Amino acid sequence: MSALATARPVPHPAASAEPRAANFLTGMLVLSRRSLLHSFRDPESVLMAVLLPVMMMLIFVYVLGGAMSVGGQAPSHEQYLSYVLPAIALTAAGFGASFTAVVVSNDMTTGLIDRLRTMPFPAVTVLLGHTVASMARNLLATVVVMLVALAVGYRTDASALSMLGALGLIALWILAITVVFATLGMLAGSAEAASGYGFVLLFLPYLSSGYAPVESMPTWLRVFAEHQPMTPLIDAARALMAGQEPGADALISVLWCAVIIAIALVVAAYVFPRRTSR
């Protein structure tokens, strides 16, 4: 048989681009579904992600609300509920995203990544899958918090567009904090360490304008509170949820989130190939 008859046709480069793209998308969808299924098979984690922010909101509103004066108005539970609601939603995002660090660390240390490297889609899709699943869990928790707030008396004159803008800022922070925790999950040597590394990030909403005006804080703490990402993010979301203009806080919030995401992605891009090649 001649060499011409046995030669195999060489595929055109363009012909292989579509399968690679399809494999990447398929892998992300499969692993997002896997992460969501694992979440809902762990009802304790789901309940913590949803019920913890609700319980925090009720405790802060009904324990502190009657004594907290915000915006120069007389203390009332309703006023404090409107004030603290964005902080509760963003605090819930942090607690929900911390679960991502644990599951990513488990996948890194139990051999799943090495197994994925033998399959036709990139192993990095496991990180994207966890990110998508975390976004879904945290947005669900945010919706539940909003519904409970409405049930206990929250009212606003904000338009639907303003509320969507506030939700968009919250979703952007959820994405940023999830990427950070996913990166911490790669860096950690165990699930326990992954959970501990990001613990300090969960305190950021408390050291901001989320639960009390920064003007009431000591000078040294006020400087930190005014120059960390949570304060402009909470102030912008609070203004939008009240039907007011967020001013420069909205842009500052977006820039903070963009910088955090960019740094986390750079670290992840550097660490991921080295961890998976062991």
Side-chain angles (χ1 to χ4, degrees), residues 3 37 39 52 57 61 82 87 97 110 116 191 194 200 203 216 224 239-240 248:
L37 287 176
S39 298
L52 181 61
M57 178 178 65
V61 169
S82 299
T110 56
L116 289 176
V200 66
F203 284 94
S216 64
F224 175 80
L240 288 168

Side-chain angles (χ1 to χ4, degrees), residues 14 17 30 49 74 101 106 108 111 154 159 175 200 230 247:
V30 168
N106 282 330
M108 297 294 292
Y154 172 71
S159 65
L175 176 61
V200 66
M230 298 304 300

Side-chain angles (χ1 to χ4, degrees), residues 75-101:
S76 72
H77 299 297
E78 292 76 13
Q79 290 293 335
Y80 192 63
L81 175 60
S82 299
Y83 183 86
V84 83
L85 186 55
I88 294 293
L90 292 166
T91 303
F95 281 107
S98 64
F99 179 72
T100 304

